Amino acid sequence: MRRITFLLLLFCFAAMTSFGGGYQVGLHSTRNTGMGLIGTSLSYDASTIFYNPGGTSFLNEKWSFSGGLSLIMARVTFQAKDVNYQAHLEHLLNTPFYFYAAYKATDKLSLGLAVNTPYGNRLSWGDTWQGRYLIQNLSFNAITVQPTISYKFNKIIGIGFGLVWSYGTVNLNKALPLDYSGGEGQLNIKGSTIGFGFNAGVMVHPIEALSIGIDFRSKINMDVRSASATFTVPAAVRSEFPDSKVEVSLPLPANLDFGASYNINKKFMIGINLCYVFWKQYDSLVFNFRTKTSALDRTATPALYQNRLIPRIGLQYKINQIVTVRVGGYYDPSPVQSDYLNPQTPSSNEIGLTAGLSVFPVKGFSIDAAFLYLMGTKRDGTYSPENFAGTYYSAFYIPAIGLTYSF
Amino acid sequence: MKKILFIILSLALFTSCERKISEYAADKGSANFTTYISVGNSLVAGYADGALYHDGQIYSCPNLIAGQLQLAGGGAFVQPMVNSNVGVAIYPGVSPRLVLGYAADCQGNVGLSPVPAQGAMDPLAPVGYAVNNFGIPGAKSFHLIIPGYDTMNPYYARFARGLGGPVVSEFINLHPTFFTLQLGDNDVLAYALAGGSRDSITNPALFYFAMKTVLGSLLATGASGVMANIPDITNIPFFTTVPYDGLVIARQSLADSINMAMGFYGLPFHYVAGANPFLINDPSSPHPYFKVRQMQPGELILLTVPQDSMKCMGMGIINRATQLPYPIPNQYVLTLAEIAQIKAATTVFNTIIDTLATNHHVGLVDINSTLKQLSSESGIVWDGVHLDATFVTGGAFSLDGIHLTPRGNAVSANAFISAINQRFGSKIPYVDITKYKGVVFP
């Protein structure tokens, strides 16, 4: 019963914000969040279905469940270049969530299901701010469902594969510099779509204390074929801006992860992770208006993201049977070039520091908590296609809670 | 569970502080902005949409500059305010401000068009207070140095203090510490606005003397400042909106009958279906009677051309009533020869301005290159706003096609601020152009 209420709660809060590079959310297990978001080489709970399906077959119990959510509090300050103007990102509370269930069908074969939110971006700068012709507010969510199969050849090596089905919604508002006596023009784009991808991984235990994982999550093309574009414009130019269907294409980039973890002794575990994100797949955000006029056509907003490698490190210490604590950290270099820094995804090189703990009131059940603090570096940038320049300075405060249960 | 949630939430609240970036630190550098005066013509006055009216003055380029200078020690900036948003009755029958509205043309087609604003104008009366903005619509360079100019230009008479003396004699009484000078545009623009048929381009020697005197009288007050050069006015929408080949003939049969008529008159012009050049006057034509020719690429038609006559009376081709060739009158056309004169004069004037600025250590505001950028294919992009020199949709020029919109003035103000910062090592922040409107649509 408790589990069901918890699940319902999760779906109610299906909204998130990006932090760190671009619009990828890294919060898929409260335990892993506690130790620097590592996870590719770990198979200690059902979150392995997402982090590395090769590890799922290494789960010991018949049933494993894991669920939780994070609260992302983003604080971003913008100072315009050479203009006496500052803006703050509105304080939206964003809540990415995850739920995993794994079933050990045979000793070697496991089945799993992951439901989580690996990508998303939700932010609001307000309706009247200086950058309103680029973006006022944006909400982009992608919920993915991943049925997974995992096979363990022996004690040393296991593989896994999951099909990823993704449901995405987008809702974007921006102002248009078209003045009328009552105000100025406005554009809303709203739509949803589904996309497909896969998640494949290999887990290797060359010796009992060492675990090595490699995982690849494919690119998912989110092509919203029929979003609706609604214009609020002066009556005189209405015929140039008819409400129209619009195609929006946004790729969710592929990830290649490598992780290794080592149990120093019964209490201490150290892990590292290298995550390579194929951000170059995000070349531009394309809007293709179906009803074309001299003012409306196919427009590509250049993004020109760069591929990035994120190194992570984490430590876990089992104090006793009841309490386990974790710490970690990582460096997340921004995929955005300085002349393409857009207030839609203000992104800077960030250092993440994490801490977490798990409490096991009974064997097999834990309450997990974690806190992630992201220190953004102050960053000067211009979105050159629109000549929008300034300094962004960000910080993210992300508490997370979760439950893990296996039996 | 509840306890943990509580701990997490309180931790979150505790740490949820904003990132601090230091605010823009304005600095006056080596300049003193305490008392700022602006001197020049209609571009300085805040004239827009074919009139001097209240909101146009509020968004005048110098008023926007003054607002920024106030961040670095600048004082109050007083303008000779018009209270009406329709205009001021400078002379009987003066046109009110233009607004974008709907009007029917001679064919009964209702379309978006600049139309006169409704409402009462301010009566012409002296404002009765000293002003900082010496923007005088219509003023040429030498007008500022002739005594009794207040009797010739009612815009100046509204705020003139030293009656009878030249404009330049007023500056000393204001004890200015800083000035911007934007003058000389009318020395070539007035000729162009008359289609080269009336008025004349100021003699360069007079221009030099006048500009030197104006600048000298400003510097004599002890103030420092910047001065703007003159843009190539042939790029403004007043001259570029009506195309030289805007005569569209719907069918070849119609073109054929025009060709036949022209042949009958002994005029060697050939018309085709589609776009054709308009007919204009040409005194050097060899034809014994019809001194006309077709327009050439690069020649310009003024925005004030009577478009109804073109649409319904055959102006620019054949008069529908008389069936005779019907050239566009000279005052609505700039020929290549006239354009060459305008461009040559602009170059000479800008050389003079450049020399004066250098010799007197006055900062130079290169408005010429700002306008060049504005009238280029890509225009000027700032904070997601795309501005160019297209009439109405370009967003920079007001409905008279000559003067700027508030947003255009913001771009102009930033060119001044850039020059001020460069000359005086000051750090005056730019105007946030997204705060100002372009052309207002109905």
Side-chain angles (χ1 to χ4, degrees):
Chain A
M1 185 62 205
R2 177 201 267 164
R3 208 148 53 215
I4 291 165
T5 345
F6 190 48
L7 257 178
L8 282 176
L9 205 77
L10 294 180
F11 281 102
C12 295
F13 284 106
M16 69 217 79
T17 193
S18 73
F19 63 91
Y23 46 89
Q24 183 157 290
V25 181
L27 307 159
H28 309 301
S29 154
T30 301
R31 286 181 175 181
N32 293 357
T33 300
M35 47 180 165
L37 311 182
I38 64 167
T40 313
S41 62
L42 303 177
S43 53
Y44 57 6
D45 65 36
S47 68
T48 177
I49 300 167
F50 173 78
Y51 283 93
N52 183 352
T56 311
S57 52
F58 285 102
L59 291 171
N60 293 324
E61 312 292 339
K62 192 85 179 159
W63 289 95
S64 301
F65 296 96
S66 183
L69 77 145
S70 307
L71 311 176
I72 303 179
M73 279 162 284
R75 299 291 178 262
V76 184
T77 301
F78 171 77
Q79 164 69 52
K81 182 172 186 277
D82 298 335
V83 175
N84 185 28
Y85 179 83
Q86 278 199 0
H88 300 281
L89 202 65
E90 280 182 15
H91 294 185
L92 299 175
L93 190 63
N94 298 295
T95 50
F97 68 88
Y98 61 90
F99 172 75
Y100 309 104
Y103 171 65
K104 202 173 187 60
T106 71
D107 179 51
K108 292 192 166 180
L109 184 76
S110 290
L111 302 172
L113 181 74
V115 181
N116 64 2
T117 54
Y119 307 90
N121 188 10
R122 175 170 171 252
L123 54 81
S124 173
W125 288 100
D127 290 345
T128 56
W129 85 298
Q130 195 194 3
R132 64 191 179 279
Y133 303 126
L134 286 86
I135 189 74
Q136 288 168 316
N137 55 68
L138 170 72
S139 167
F140 155 61
N141 293 321
I143 295 173
T144 64
V145 177
Q146 180 197 317
T148 304
I149 184 162
S150 178
Y151 183 76
K152 179 171 69 174
F153 293 102
N154 48 43
K155 276 187 169 176
I156 294 171
I157 184 160
I159 57 168
F161 181 83
L163 277 173
V164 178
W165 175 89
S166 178
Y167 173 74
T169 59
V170 66
N171 191 343
L172 174 155
N173 282 296
K174 66 181 211 166
L176 303 170
L178 285 166
D179 297 298
Y180 56 102
S181 56
E184 62 185 348
Q186 180 75 40
L187 167 63
N188 171 261
I189 288 176
K190 201 185 215 171
S192 62
T193 191
I194 53 171
F196 295 95
F198 67 89
N199 181 355
V202 182
M203 188 76 91
V204 185
H205 294 278
I207 53 170
E208 208 188 318
L210 180 66
S211 173
I212 295 168
I214 296 172
D215 179 61
F216 179 75
R217 289 190 298 282
S218 74
K219 172 189 177 184
I220 304 172
N221 281 317
M222 298 302 272
D223 295 327
V224 186
R225 302 222 175 276
S226 190
S228 49
T230 311
F231 290 93
T232 309
V233 291
V237 294
R238 181 74 211 177
S239 60
E240 290 296 312
F241 297 92
D243 289 345
S244 163
K245 290 295 177 193
V246 59
E247 287 171 36
V248 189
S249 301
L250 183 73
L252 307 180
N255 277 243
L256 178 64
D257 279 271
F258 170 83
S261 49
Y262 184 69
N263 292 310
I264 296 163
N265 54 41
K266 281 225 149 90
K267 288 176 177 276
F268 249 122
M269 191 269 285
I270 182 164
I272 57 139
N273 215 104
L274 293 170
C275 174
Y276 191 73
V277 189
F278 294 82
W279 276 119
K280 227 169 184 156
Q281 292 161 349
Y282 185 33
D283 179 66
S284 60
L285 182 60
V286 176
F287 294 98
N288 194 3
F289 291 94
R290 205 163 294 166
T291 314
K292 292 186 168 50
T293 69
S294 62
L296 294 187
D297 203 345
R298 182 184 183 278
T299 57
T301 309
L304 301 172
Y305 276 30
Q306 302 291 297
N307 290 345
R308 286 293 179 255
L309 182 72
I310 308 170
R312 311 175 188 277
I313 186 162
L315 289 162
Q316 175 176 271
Y317 181 69
K318 280 181 191 167
I319 295 172
N320 53 39
Q321 289 294 314
I322 296 172
V323 180
T324 298
V325 292
R326 306 181 181 92
V327 290
Y330 64 94
Y331 178 66
D332 191 353
S334 170
V336 186
Q337 303 177 71
S338 281
D339 46 351
Y340 285 92
L341 188 58
N342 191 322
Q344 284 179 8
T345 42
S347 160
S348 67
N349 297 333
E350 275 149 2
I351 294 168
L353 297 174
T354 74
L357 91 166
S358 287
V359 178
F360 293 80
V362 291
K363 192 178 178 324
F365 175 71
S366 76
I367 300 164
D368 311 314
F371 191 82
L372 162 60
Y373 171 56
L374 264 156
M375 291 184 285
T377 46
K378 209 182 278 185
R379 183 169 190 198
D380 296 337
T382 304
Y383 186 65
S384 21
E386 301 292 346
N387 191 21
F388 185 78
T391 303
Y392 298 84
Y393 199 15
S394 59
F396 298 87
Y397 307 91
I398 307 166
I401 51 165
L403 300 174
T404 308
Y405 186 41
S406 56
F407 59 91
Chain B
M1 176 77 188
K2 262 184 186 163
K3 201 178 268 176
I4 289 171
L5 198 64
F6 177 75
I7 291 166
I8 287 170
L9 280 176
S10 42
L11 196 64
L13 288 172
F14 191 69
T15 51
S16 299
C17 48
E18 290 290 353
R19 282 300 210 189
K20 294 261 190 301
I21 306 179
S22 45
E23 301 264 350
Y24 189 97
D27 186 82
K28 63 185 173 63
S30 63
N32 176 357
F33 303 121
T34 313
T35 307
Y36 161 49
I37 65 168
S38 57
V39 177
N41 48 41
S42 53
L43 296 169
V44 177
Y47 190 98
D49 301 314
L52 186 70
Y53 66 94
H54 183 270
D55 286 1
Q57 290 179 297
I58 294 292
Y59 301 115
S60 72
C61 178
N63 203 34
L64 301 189
I65 296 169
Q68 301 304 104
L69 296 184
Q70 279 159 9
L71 300 167
F77 187 75
V78 180
Q79 302 193 94
M81 291 308 295
V82 173
N83 295 314
S84 164
N85 259 332
V86 177
V88 51
I90 282 303
Y91 56 83
V94 67
S95 305
R97 164 209 183 175
L98 296 168
V99 293
L100 208 52
Y102 295 95
D105 66 6
C106 54
Q107 294 162 329
N109 297 326
V110 176
L112 202 58
S113 170
V115 297
Q118 300 297 310
M121 288 192 197
D122 263 15
L124 180 61
V127 294
Y129 48 80
V131 299
N132 295 66
N133 189 341
F134 280 78
I136 306 168
K140 294 186 182 184
S141 59
F142 59 90
H143 289 162
L144 269 63
I145 62 171
I146 51 177
Y149 187 55
D150 58 303
T151 62
M152 303 174 213
N153 188 331
Y155 285 110
Y156 174 48
R158 289 181 67 238
F159 64 87
R161 304 290 276 178
L163 290 177
V167 178
V168 290
S169 67
E170 290 208 46
F171 304 149
I172 194 87
N173 301 324
L174 292 153
H175 310 293
T177 59
F178 191 78
F179 67 86
T180 57
L181 176 61
Q182 186 171 23
L183 188 64
D185 306 81
N186 287 328
D187 293 70
V188 57
L189 182 66
Y191 170 78
L193 294 183
S197 64
R198 283 176 285 112
D199 217 296
S200 58
I201 295 173
T202 305
N203 175 295
L206 176 59
F207 183 86
Y208 174 76
F209 176 72
M211 292 299 276
K212 192 175 189 288
T213 308
V214 173
L215 192 60
S217 60
L218 283 165
L219 292 167
T221 65
S224 55
V226 295
M227 74 190 292
N229 59 12
I230 299 168
D232 178 357
I233 50 161
T234 58
N235 285 328
I236 66 178
F238 188 84
F239 299 109
T240 57
T241 303
V242 184
Y244 82 98
D245 61 348
L247 177 69
V248 178
I249 299 173
R251 300 177 309 275
Q252 187 55 44
S253 59
L254 200 55
D256 290 343
S257 55
I258 295 169
N259 286 331
M260 213 156 77
M262 290 294 178
F264 177 77
Y265 293 125
L267 294 167
F269 310 138
H270 186 69
Y271 291 84
V272 295
N276 292 272
F278 286 109
L279 214 56
I280 57 170
N281 287 305
D282 182 12
S284 67
S285 165
H287 196 281
Y289 182 65
F290 298 115
K291 298 289 183 192
V292 295
R293 66 169 171 87
Q294 284 183 306
M295 288 187 81
Q296 291 174 25
E299 294 189 314
L300 303 171
I301 301 175
L302 276 54
L303 190 58
T304 42
V305 71
Q307 300 215 22
D308 276 353
S309 298
M310 295 169 85
K311 278 183 195 162
C312 297
M313 297 297 293
M315 183 193 276
I317 177 148
I318 289 177
N319 191 313
R320 294 212 182 152
T322 65
Q323 299 299 319
L324 291 172
Y326 186 9
I328 298 173
N330 198 9
Q331 74 255 35
Y332 299 118
V333 175
L334 287 181
T335 62
L336 288 176
E338 289 163 346
I339 292 166
Q341 280 186 51
I342 291 165
K343 285 187 188 273
T346 306
T347 306
V348 171
F349 292 169
N350 279 341
T351 308
I352 291 170
I353 290 171
D354 201 356
T355 308
L356 284 171
T358 308
N359 291 350
H360 296 276
H361 308 291
V362 165
L364 180 73
V365 186
D366 194 357
I367 283 292
N368 187 23
S369 69
T370 305
L371 191 79
K372 205 168 278 173
Q373 206 188 336
L374 196 62
S375 51
S376 70
E377 186 74 21
S378 51
I380 289 179
V381 183
W382 212 317
D383 297 342
V385 183
H386 295 241
L387 293 162
D388 62 43
T390 312
F391 191 49
V392 178
T393 54
F397 283 90
S398 74
L399 295 172
D400 59 28
I402 302 164
H403 301 93
L404 300 171
T405 58
R407 197 164 263 168
N409 277 323
V411 171
S412 175
N414 284 346
F416 275 84
I417 288 167
S418 170
I420 293 168
N421 286 342
Q422 205 180 332
R423 167 64 185 84
F424 299 101
S426 54
K427 281 183 73 187
I428 305 300
Y430 284 136
V431 171
D432 173 359
I433 78 146
T434 70
K435 280 163 111 180
Y436 302 96
K437 289 190 175 191
V439 169
V440 175
F441 289 87

